[in-house]
Amino acid sequence: MGAGKTTVGEEVARRLQRPFHELDREIEAAHGSIWELFAEQGESAFRELEARFVRDVCGRRNPAVIAVGGGAVETRRLLHELGVFVVLLDVDVDTAWARVRGSRRPLARDEEEFRKRYVARRPLYEDVADARAVDADGVVLAAAGIRFAPHVDAAGDALVADEHVAALHGVEATHLVTGGEPAKTVAEAERLWRALDLDRSSTLVALGGGSTTDLAGFVAATYLRGIDWIAVPSTLVGQVDAAIGGKVGIDLPEGKNLAGAFHWPAATVIDTELLETLPDEELRNGRAEVVKTGLLSGEPLWELERGEQVRRCAAFKAAVCLADPLDRGVRAQLNLGHTFAHALEAGSGYRIPHGRAVALGLLAALRLSGLEDETSTVEALLSPEPVEVDRERAWTALGRDKKASGGRIALVLLDGPGRPVVTAEIEPERVRAALDSLIA
Ligand SMILES: NC(=O)c1ccc[n+]([C@@H]2O[C@H](COP(=O)([O-])OP(=O)(O)OC[C@H]3O[C@@H](n4cnc5c(N)ncnc54)[C@H](O)[C@@H]3O)[C@@H](O)[C@H]2O)c1
């Protein structure tokens, strides 16, 4: 009580686009005030109703976010039996009491009783919890299997690591791969498939940037028709983007990421200390994704210190991907600026850094959105400079981009900070002009 279940639960449900059930509120709506229920029929009658509601809500096909106290044995047993993912909202007793004192809640009238109950229930809650969190970001991260911990905490049966990262951080890996895009090939995937000596219950750990986690995740998705894997991202791009959301894949000579799968990692372990050795160029690539995330969330996440910045960005992407795991809806927003970025990369024969292309892509998207302040923000934060690329190749690539539809190019724009829209309304001439303005 007083942990913030309703506030946090509503926020998590909104982000995951799931229905929200606040059990106390629903019981009150159906059976009158809990206070009177307690007074007239006693606590056990209330607990019975609570258990019935839990069973009913969890039995529905559509997954939901539920705010429930775990005070009753019956409730805890049910949550466990029904396979509900349980997050304990951590709150200290003083904060909890300050929130509930003076309310009409039956169990919040006597401070001493309240404190005793807190101490008595604590181990019961801990026993039923799969994870703990203090806020909505924490709940989303836990639900996505993402935790912040030292990279050595990621334990599995085989470790595929970027050889550069392994050397820098003194990690002994079972399988080394070269870092960077050239690793994402059929040949590298085949080499790993053939070298792995695992069974179907094994877990593969992948340590490295997005290239390594994309490759190793794809190998995990396909080896023995799919084994568990744990992503340990070592770049800023990996920690705020690539290691989250379950997209894995490799490149073909015909294009990037043309063979792949959706294979959500069993866990993602984020250790921001790994970033200490990251070269500036790679940090810049990550910063472009951080700025994109801030624009999509409507908050200046780029202003936060590194640890909190990564946590907030990771939670944002995780929520969007949990809401749309197979990329059929809201996940499209993550392409903000990327349609232009991919076109510039293709137009340059993939010679320009991804971060530079994304910075320019964001600029074009914001200009087309008519958002002057945000355009200036991107200019100030990422200093995007026009690049020399083949104009016609870039334009052709933009038209071919998988987001092209019905002869018009579907673009992600912003109605305002935090309000992404996918639109095919922009005339091709304006899209072309926006692209041209990015090219030196
Ligand atoms: N699956 C997804 O949802 C998703 C999303 C975004 C990007 N990606 C993919 O991610 C890839 C890009 O990943 P990236 O930007 O993380 O780079 P990367 O994995 O290609 O690594 C870039 C360079 O940084 C080095 N490096 C990595 N970690 C380091 C560290 N801690 N210290 C020093 N050097 C380090 C690598 O050895 C490499 O040379 C692309 O292939 C892209 O398609 C995938």
Side-chain angles (χ1 to χ4, degrees):
M1 200 187 299
K5 295 189 293 295
T6 306
T7 317
V8 171
E10 271 171 352
E11 171 66 10
V12 170
R14 186 188 66 75
R15 291 206 216 167
L16 304 191
Q17 304 195 341
R18 303 285 184 196
F20 176 63
H21 299 280
E22 213 277 69
L23 289 199
D24 286 358
R25 205 158 58 192
E26 293 189 14
I27 290 173
E28 290 210 318
H31 299 275
S33 110
I34 292 178
W35 193 76
E36 279 165 22
L37 209 73
F38 260 64
E40 287 163 19
Q41 298 178 42
E43 182 170 348
S44 65
F46 171 71
R47 296 299 172 203
E48 259 172 50
L49 283 175
E50 192 175 53
R52 205 185 309 154
F53 269 83
V54 170
R55 207 176 290 115
D56 173 39
V57 169
C58 298
R60 294 184 198 166
R61 282 183 59 145
N62 194 7
V65 177
I66 309 161
V68 61
V73 179
E74 172 76 348
T75 309
R76 288 198 306 281
R77 191 179 56 72
L78 270 177
L79 292 172
H80 183 71
E81 264 176 26
L82 296 167
V84 178
F85 185 78
V86 180
V87 183
L88 166 62
L89 264 189
D90 235 337
V91 65
D92 64 80
V93 66
D94 294 332
T95 309
W97 174 248
R99 284 179 186 161
V100 300
R101 62 190 296 184
S103 72
R104 269 171 59 85
R105 301 190 199 198
L107 301 179
R109 274 170 298 170
D110 177 326
E111 180 170 354
E112 199 182 324
E113 276 299 309
F114 182 88
R115 286 178 181 273
K116 261 201 225 148
R117 198 177 270 267
Y118 177 96
V119 172
R121 285 200 179 164
R122 181 92 206 166
L124 307 179
Y125 292 149
E126 283 174 1
D127 189 46
V128 77
D130 296 295
R132 295 168 180 221
V134 296
D135 57 13
D137 283 317
V139 175
V140 169
L141 289 166
I146 300 169
R147 56 197 169 85
F148 286 76
H151 64 90
V152 288
D153 280 11
D157 302 291
L159 171 62
V160 173
D162 174 325
E163 59 186 3
H164 186 50
V165 179
L168 283 171
H169 294 273
V171 172
E172 273 190 42
T174 13
H175 307 277
L176 291 172
V177 293
T178 52
E181 202 65 33
K184 287 174 58 173
T185 59
V186 178
E188 272 300 277
E190 182 183 359
R191 187 175 68 79
L192 289 171
W193 284 322
R194 299 182 67 182
L196 291 176
D197 184 16
L198 301 173
D199 62 37
R200 293 187 64 187
S201 63
S202 305
T203 299
L204 183 70
V205 180
L207 167 69
S211 303
T212 307
T213 51
D214 270 13
L215 166 71
F218 176 69
V219 166
T222 44
Y223 183 75
L224 301 178
R225 298 195 181 85
I227 59 170
D228 280 351
W229 74 294
I230 296 174
V232 188
S234 67
T235 60
L236 187 53
V237 168
Q239 297 189 352
V240 301
D241 189 355
I244 296 162
K247 276 191 189 176
V248 293
I250 55 173
D251 302 335
L252 298 180
E254 285 73 17
K256 280 184 63 170
N257 299 319
L258 288 185
F262 288 97
H263 192 49
W264 203 286
T268 297
V269 175
I270 299 184
D271 178 352
T272 49
E273 284 194 12
L274 286 171
L275 305 180
E276 301 286 318
T277 55
L278 201 60
D280 281 350
E281 175 76 55
E282 299 303 333
L283 274 174
R284 264 197 298 278
N285 288 337
R287 209 169 296 133
E289 301 301 339
V290 169
V291 172
K292 178 195 83 174
T293 310
L295 291 166
L296 288 173
S297 71
E299 291 177 84
L301 300 180
W302 49 81
E303 289 175 2
L304 300 171
E305 57 83 25
R306 175 63 45 73
E308 187 58 6
Q309 183 181 89
V310 171
R311 196 180 85 92
R312 298 290 310 280
C313 288
F316 182 85
K317 179 165 184 195
V320 173
C321 295
L322 283 172
D324 179 20
L326 300 179
D327 198 5
R328 291 178 179 151
V330 289
R331 197 161 169 165
Q333 67 181 273
L334 300 175
N335 279 317
L336 179 70
H338 281 58
T339 309
F340 289 101
H342 293 154
L344 293 173
E345 287 179 304
S348 78
Y350 294 95
R351 282 193 327 275
I352 56 169
H354 183 63
R356 188 163 177 202
V358 173
L360 286 164
L362 289 174
L363 202 59
L366 292 169
R367 284 174 179 159
L368 287 174
S369 303
L371 296 179
E372 286 173 18
D373 289 353
E374 287 67 28
T375 306
S376 308
T377 303
V378 165
E379 281 170 339
L381 291 168
L382 302 173
S383 325
E385 290 293 328
V387 279
E388 279 185 34
V389 306
D390 183 322
R391 279 172 198 270
E392 292 315 312
R393 258 174 82 189
W395 178 240
T396 311
L398 201 142
R400 245 203 336 258
D401 192 288
K402 60 181 185 284
K403 272 71 71 185
S405 64
R408 285 268 179 114
I409 295 158
L411 292 172
V412 184
L413 302 182
L414 291 183
D415 266 348
R419 286 186 284 131
V421 278
V422 180
T423 173
E425 296 298 308
I426 311 286
E427 302 79 28
E429 299 73 38
R430 286 186 64 209
V431 180
R432 173 75 198 234
L435 177 69
D436 277 342
S437 72
L438 309 176
I439 299 174

